[in-house]
Structure formats: C-alpha cells, structure tokens
Amino acid sequence: MDNVMMLEAQEKECRRCLGSVEISVSLEMKKVLHKLWNENEQSHAVSPESLRSILSLLLPRYSGRQQQDSHEFLRHLLDRLHVELTVGRGTRDAHTHSDSIVLETFQGRLVDEVSCTGCAEVSRRYDPFLDLSLDIPQQNVGGIADEAEEDENVHSSTLNECLERFTAWEDLHASEQRSCVGCGDNKRAKKRLLIEAPPRVLCLHLKRFEWLPPKPRCKISTEVRFPSVLDVGRYTTRAKSCEYSLFGLITHHGTTTRSGHYTACCLNEGKWFQYDDSKVKPLTPEAVLDLEAYMLFYRRRDT
C-alpha cells in the first residue's frame, strides 16, 4: 500500500508539471491499484482493460487480441511509468532522474568484468537493470525430445543453475578481443556478469522461447525448480548472504509465443492465489512451487 501512495504522489506531481495530458498510463495504473485495494471492489474481479487501452495508444501492438509476451509488456509498462513520473520535474529528460518509484523498486546494477588471461588484469563496466533474463540449462524445445536425449531432457533444472550460468566466466570470441590496459597485449580474455547492487524487487525472466527458423519460436519445457527463499549472495560482488522471498510469478500455458495463455500467482497477506482472467482461486505454497514459471518476482528480505 505504501507503493500505491508513492505512485499517486508522483503521478500528481507529474500532472502538475505537465498540465493536461491526453495519455497517462500512470493515472490508469493508479486507478487499477486503488480498485484492487478497495474493500468494496473485493467481491468481484477488477478489469485492467482501461490500462491496456491507454497503453495501446502508445504501442499499437497491444490494441488487438493477439498473444503478446508478458515480459515485453512489463518492460514497456515500467518504462512508460518511469517516463511519466519523472518528466517535468525540473527537466523533460526522464533519463537524468533516478528517483521514480519504478527505479527505486526494480532497478539494480550489474558489473561486467573482463579478465586478461595473460596478466589477470580485470576491467569493469557497470550497467543498470530492471530484470534478469536467464538461459535454461538442458533445454527441451517444444516439449519434444529424441529417444536418445529423452532421459537427459526430462530431468529438471534449478533456478540456482540458471543464475550460475548467467554469472559464469566465458571466453570472449576473437571479434570481441581488445588490447589489455594492463599488459598492452591482445591476448585471450574472459568475461562474466555479477550483481553489484541488488534491487529491492528482483524480477527474473526465464528464457522459455527459442527461435528455430523457419519455425515460430518454440517453448522450452524443461522444468526449473525455484525456492520460496532465494539467496543470491554468491552471484554478487559482495559474496555474502542476500536473501529474497518469492511473492509473485507468471506462468505461460501453451507451446509457442503465438498461442497460449498467461496466468499469475501472487502472495497476499500470507496466502497464495492464482489469477486466471476473472477467475481467482487459492493455492498452497507447495502447489505454487510446482508451477512452470515464466517470470519470478522476489522481494529483498532486508527491506
């Protein structure tokens, strides 16, 4: 509820600075959140149709009824909210501000380390992120495997394995090699990514779709087991415990990006619920951990 009040305050400030605006995603988002938290509205489902309609004026791809990727939708929504909540506060350039509720909630920082194999010199570059897209080990594409590979593909992976793969050292290709600032030689180098600043909310996107031309993007059906409490300490530069608690996830039902259906699960007052269009049903914590997650949302436990 604190985040709803903060969003409302920033949305009012934005309207004060910009005056009348025809398209306000933040205003529609505020309306949806108020309905969700209004006790008088809790006897029936709340429709976000007005929010989708407003967003479709900016991005026509959302104006129809075709299947759209939930990860891409989230990024478009957050980007637009950030722009609206920052433009007009002393400048019309949203990228000069870092104090919107969007960045305060979702933004973390990665460090890209490149190590020279000759002198072990390490160069670093820092980049912000709102979510992390993770490859899935032992991929079974489209739910179909050859008999020889069946035993290998049916076994499940874990979210930790995905994070280990994301942060593992890898050799740079010849086209990526550059002169080392330490020894001056153009020797082989390796690189890796680590989390330098963990966000308040860690959004993890599992890359469940793979494009195999000329076919449409196929679904990767490998099971990925995920915990209710995730410690990302080993994937950070701090190398100490940094725990997150699971509070939401999105699942995709179907075999391609062109078809299927999305559902969401959220933790509310200690209880899990599944949201399937206008249908809402309770879930046990064990049932949640058995779902085929597409996106996972974790809240840092020290906030």
Side-chain angles (χ1 to χ4, degrees):
M1 193 62 184
D2 291 341
N3 286 345
V4 178
M5 297 174 64
M6 187 179 298
L7 173 62
E8 182 176 23
Q10 292 188 354
E11 185 271 331
K12 286 182 178 179
E13 175 66 11
C14 176
R15 281 191 292 157
R16 185 190 68 80
C17 294
L18 296 181
S20 176
V21 292
E22 295 182 0
I23 300 178
S24 177
V25 174
S26 58
L27 177 60
E28 294 303 323
M29 186 69 178
K30 184 187 73 172
K31 291 178 181 178
V32 171
L33 292 176
H34 270 292
K35 288 181 179 180
L36 287 173
W37 288 98
N38 187 340
E39 293 183 357
N40 296 326
E41 301 279 354
Q42 293 182 3
S43 60
H44 57 84
V46 173
S47 173
E49 178 60 30
S50 60
L51 175 62
R52 188 193 67 86
S53 298
I54 288 294
L55 194 62
S56 68
L57 296 177
L58 300 168
L59 297 166
R61 69 165 67 181
Y62 297 118
S63 60
R65 297 296 179 181
Q66 292 183 333
Q67 177 79 51
Q68 301 293 337
D69 184 75
S70 62
H71 176 235
E72 293 179 358
F73 177 83
L74 177 63
R75 291 303 306 271
H76 288 145
L77 177 61
L78 293 180
D79 287 345
R80 179 63 189 184
L81 286 174
H82 173 64
V83 169
E84 289 188 9
L85 298 175
T86 53
V87 170
R89 294 161 62 184
T91 176
R92 299 190 70 85
D93 183 6
H95 299 289
T96 64
H97 281 287
S98 61
D99 55 350
S100 79
I101 186 176
V102 173
L103 300 192
E104 290 175 4
T105 303
F106 292 97
Q107 184 171 271
R109 188 165 59 250
L110 289 173
V111 56
D112 185 349
E113 296 185 338
V114 177
S115 176
C116 174
T117 57
C119 67
E121 173 75 17
V122 177
S123 61
R124 296 177 175 86
R125 186 186 69 193
Y126 299 89
D127 294 302
F129 71 89
L130 295 180
D131 60 71
L132 300 179
S133 291
L134 307 177
D135 289 317
I136 301 175
Q138 305 296 343
Q139 295 176 351
N140 175 11
V141 180
I144 302 175
D146 294 334
E147 284 188 21
E149 298 176 347
E150 187 173 357
D151 291 339
E152 180 182 8
N153 283 324
V154 295
H155 94 284
S156 60
S157 297
T158 67
L159 185 59
N160 283 106
E161 289 176 339
C162 296
L163 286 165
E164 286 168 4
R165 184 170 182 172
F166 181 80
T167 57
W169 286 105
E170 60 178 300
D171 292 331
L172 287 175
H173 297 294
S175 59
E176 299 176 295
Q177 300 291 344
R178 55 181 181 268
S179 179
C180 175
V181 296
C183 62
D185 290 337
N186 191 23
K187 295 183 178 180
R188 291 179 54 192
K190 56 183 181 178
K191 66 176 182 179
R192 71 173 177 180
L193 292 170
L194 290 174
I195 300 173
E196 197 271 335
R200 289 173 56 189
V201 170
L202 179 62
C203 176
L204 300 176
H205 163 234
L206 298 177
K207 297 163 73 172
R208 287 200 173 275
F209 298 102
E210 184 170 88
W211 188 40
L212 299 173
K215 298 180 180 180
R217 286 199 292 177
C218 296
K219 180 84 168 285
I220 297 172
S221 59
T222 302
E223 179 190 11
V224 178
R225 299 192 306 273
F226 52 91
S228 57
V229 177
L230 175 67
D231 190 344
V232 301
R234 75 183 81 171
Y235 315 115
T236 71
T237 56
R238 304 176 185 182
K240 64 179 182 180
S241 180
C242 182
E243 292 188 336
Y244 284 81
S245 295
L246 181 70
F247 73 93
L249 66 143
I250 295 173
T251 59
H252 176 268
H253 308 270
T255 57
T256 71
T257 56
R258 295 181 181 179
S259 63
H261 182 62
Y262 286 104
T263 60
C265 293
C266 295
L267 185 66
N268 183 27
E269 297 182 351
K271 297 180 180 179
W272 281 99
F273 295 90
Q274 183 180 59
Y275 300 86
D276 183 357
D277 291 338
S278 61
K279 302 176 183 177
V280 180
K281 70 176 184 180
L283 288 181
T284 64
E286 294 76 18
V288 171
L289 297 181
D290 283 337
L291 294 173
E292 185 184 272
Y294 179 55
M295 298 187 69
L296 295 158
F297 299 86
Y298 285 88
R299 181 186 296 109
R300 209 171 70 219
R301 303 188 80 179
D302 60 357
T303 58

